[in-house]
Amino acid sequence: MQRTITQASCADDYDPNSMPVAKARAFIREFLAPVTGHVRLPIRTALGRVLAEDVMTPVNVPAHTNSAMDGWALAFSDLNTDGESSLTEVGSSFAGVPFKGTLKRGECVRIFTGGVVPAGADTVVMQERAKAAGKQITFAPGVKLGQNVRHAGEDLKQGAVALARGRIIRPAELGLLASLDVGDVNCYRKLRVAFFSTGDELVSIGKPLAEGQIYDSNRYTIFGMLEKLGCDVLDMGVVRDDPALLESAFRDAAANADVVITSGGVSVGEADFVKQLMDKLGEVVFWKIAMKPGRPLAYGKIAGAHFFGLPGNPVSVMVTFYQFVREALLTLQGVNPVPAQPMLKALCTSPIKKAPGRTEFQRGILSQGDDGTWTVRVTGEQGSGILKSMSDANCFIVLGDHVGNVEANTVVEVQVLEGVV
Ligand code: AMP
Ligand code: MG
């Protein structure tokens, strides 16, 4: 039996006011299952989508045992074990135009890369290791049994799983599917994600700002991150900090999407009425994550939809999205296994002030020096409202719970954003 969010949050030993990053991730993971609903797509349209069923191998790939080289096909047992051997060429095998007969003793066949290895032959000698005098071919010693032969089914065996359910279709998968004569595949339907920003101070772009107002940037970063993940997005605009308006926005979003994402309104002081609203609409937990930036985070289910309440600060939105939401959305899309965000170690050239007891995600610039070593430096001001620090960054410098101040030229862990963002 799957636990409800309330059961999990009551039973588990954690402090919602200091929730470790890994624990929050594990908690959320417990409530995720891929969407139901498949679509059959031509393979090119399926690029970036997720396979909803295993693709079996209908034929051996390669279909025939063939040559990896230009040279001569022969029976290894026909060769002298000491010194040169001489055989008679009795025909040729080109890629697509095979030799029709069976080799007899003392015979060989001229063969080209991709040509079918004829019956009676088991070895190919490359042309650089042979001398031809008319049809009489002399082979240098040192040939190994089976060399330069690609066996039928060595890439894929007939009946085996070529691509498993949950695999993201990338260019390599398109080629593999084509090599199997598979022209269309069953994919999970796209995940529908509704999102809106909350805050009385927010103005949508294109309108002038009054005093104290700011432009709503979160809806743009969230849009970008969702599009990159291949979601079907539903932008619901800005919603004022008004219980009635918020309630109808949440109901509307949950009715029309698999996932609802909001920014703002979950920090101390703002969360109270959102909490009351959530008690009415579903099951939502409010955490203070032991991380910086991105401390407040809400997760739960409202009317069957998954809900992520992200903090309002623009950098916190992106950090919490990459640390919690990205993995969750991939799982809901059917991706299995979910690839971890690439981490590597690099020499940090900037000193960093850091208090133990929380995980910090400093925005960093990773680069490779002429000697091949990877170094990283912070982007500059690291305030959670400074979106320029995200724009300049190509990685997060991840300083774990136990790490304290970092001195310059210390090795740190880095989460690469290239290819992810
Ligand atoms: P909140 O979590 O709602 O208290 O917001 C925290 C900070 O983030 C405040 O300074 C807000 O003005 C700012 N903020 C909230 N939502 C947005 C948004 N959509 N775009 C830009 N800044 C925002
Ligand atoms: Mg707010």
Side-chain angles (χ1 to χ4, degrees):
M1 254 304 275
Q2 214 203 341
R3 301 194 292 175
T4 65
I5 290 170
T6 320
Q7 282 164 347
S9 45
C10 293
D12 287 4
D13 167 34
Y14 73 84
D15 175 4
N17 290 316
S18 181
M19 180 74 157
V21 173
K23 216 158 189 174
R25 262 193 209 130
F27 185 102
I28 296 170
R29 218 175 270 147
E30 205 181 313
F31 301 99
L32 305 172
V35 289
T36 49
H38 303 167
V39 271
R40 199 147 193 102
L41 297 171
I43 55 174
R44 284 189 181 170
T45 313
L47 182 64
R49 301 290 289 265
V50 185
L51 276 181
E53 63 185 16
D54 291 348
V55 176
M56 310 304 281
T57 310
V59 290
N60 276 327
V61 179
H64 306 282
T65 297
N66 68 86
S67 177
M69 289 282 180
D70 291 347
W72 281 268
L74 46 82
F76 179 76
S77 59
D78 263 359
L79 298 175
N80 297 321
T81 46
D82 46 355
E84 294 184 335
S85 313
S86 186
L87 301 175
T88 309
E89 181 187 304
V90 293
S92 54
S93 176
F94 296 90
V97 189
F99 174 75
K100 293 249 161 42
T102 300
L103 283 197
K104 295 197 265 308
R105 282 204 68 92
E107 294 179 347
C108 65
V109 158
R110 182 78 172 114
I111 197 164
F112 298 92
T113 305
V116 173
V117 174
D122 56 15
T123 300
V124 170
V125 177
M126 64 198 273
Q127 58 197 21
E128 291 79 358
R129 307 275 304 153
K131 280 195 300 282
K135 296 290 169 195
Q136 223 36 50
I137 320 296
T138 307
F139 298 98
V143 177
K144 289 196 179 64
L145 171 64
Q147 73 184 27
N148 303 322
V149 172
R150 302 190 287 215
H151 290 277
E154 79 174 21
D155 190 354
L156 290 163
K157 276 239 168 346
Q158 186 176 14
V161 174
L163 292 172
R165 175 162 57 119
R167 181 69 78 89
I168 299 175
I169 299 171
R170 304 166 305 166
E173 282 71 28
L174 289 186
L176 192 66
L177 290 165
S179 77
L180 300 175
D181 188 29
V182 174
D184 43 52
V185 283
N186 245 343
C187 298
Y188 286 102
R189 70 170 172 82
K190 282 194 172 193
L191 192 67
R192 195 150 169 78
V193 184
F195 61 100
F196 56 88
S197 297
T198 71
D200 288 336
E201 75 281 27
L202 302 178
V203 175
S204 295
I205 58 172
K207 293 187 193 127
L209 291 182
E211 201 185 340
Q213 293 184 323
I214 55 168
Y215 286 113
D216 172 9
S217 57
N218 292 345
R219 251 166 62 233
Y220 289 82
T221 46
I222 291 174
F223 166 84
M225 294 185 291
L226 291 174
E227 280 280 327
K228 282 272 188 175
L229 285 174
C231 299
D232 201 356
V233 300
L234 180 62
D235 180 349
M236 296 181 57
V238 176
V239 179
R240 308 261 144 256
D241 291 317
D242 172 293
L245 293 177
L246 279 170
E247 177 169 347
S248 80
F250 274 116
R251 285 191 192 280
D252 209 16
N256 288 295
D258 304 297
V259 181
V260 178
I261 299 177
T262 63
S263 71
V266 290
S267 55
V268 182
E270 288 200 308
D272 285 352
F273 76 88
V274 181
K275 270 190 191 138
Q276 281 171 15
L277 185 56
M278 289 303 153
D279 284 342
K280 197 158 128 190
L281 297 180
E283 280 192 302
V284 175
V285 284
F286 289 79
W287 294 318
K288 290 195 186 77
I289 309 280
M291 70 188 276
K292 190 187 169 189
R295 219 158 109 73
L297 183 77
Y299 168 72
K301 284 261 190 98
I302 44 175
H306 294 266
F307 165 58
F308 293 90
L310 307 185
N313 275 310
V315 179
S316 309
V317 165
M318 297 195 77
V319 173
T320 48
F321 188 97
Y322 288 126
Q323 301 313 317
F324 303 105
V325 186
R326 175 183 175 274
E327 177 189 278
L329 297 184
L330 289 173
T331 306
L332 295 171
Q333 286 175 332
V335 177
N336 185 16
V338 173
Q341 246 157 268
M343 290 279 259
L344 55 95
K345 287 191 173 14
L347 202 64
C348 185
T349 55
S350 338
I352 303 174
K353 270 187 132 50
K354 153 85 168 62
R358 64 180 183 213
T359 303
E360 287 199 14
F361 296 89
Q362 299 252 336
R363 275 71 70 208
I365 300 168
L366 182 67
S367 59
Q368 197 177 22
D370 293 337
D371 65 351
T373 47
W374 288 96
T375 60
V376 67
R377 62 195 159 88
V378 293
T379 53
E381 280 301 317
Q382 296 285 308
S384 58
I386 300 173
L387 205 45
K388 179 79 162 55
S389 73
M390 265 315 296
S391 172
D392 288 342
N394 60 5
C395 68
F396 288 128
I397 301 169
V398 185
L399 305 173
D401 291 359
H402 303 296
V403 177
N405 287 338
V406 174
E407 284 175 27
N409 298 318
T410 315
V411 173
V412 292
E413 290 221 289
V414 159
Q415 200 173 51
V416 182
L417 289 172
E418 282 315 313
V420 176
V421 297

